[in-house]
Amino acid sequence: MTGGSLYYSPKKVCQIIVACCTLHNLALRRQVPFLQEDGPEGGLVVVVEPVVSEEEEAEEEDIDNRNNVIQQYFQ
């Protein structure tokens, strides 16, 4: 336990969060299966959540907007 303090500076924590969000979005876009640890006998279960291709254009615009906000406020 950290006792409520961060292991890293606030700037580094923001960079870590942005990196995690970016990796998450990339995994969703490439349809990387999620692994869950609640399978039979404690094994892993692969869960595939498909990305709806009809929404890709709107999603691209949302990603561009988000990246602009990140550039403006966090870098």
Side-chain angles (χ1 to χ4, degrees), residues 36-69:
Q36 296 179 347
E37 295 186 27
D38 29 2
E41 301 174 14
L44 295 175
V45 175
V46 177
V47 179
V48 178
E49 295 183 12
V51 176
V52 180
S53 62
E54 295 174 2
E55 298 175 353
E56 282 189 54
E57 287 183 31
E59 185 179 337
E60 284 289 330
E61 185 177 339
D62 292 342
I63 290 170
D64 288 341
N65 290 335
R66 185 192 67 230
N67 287 337
N68 288 336
V69 169

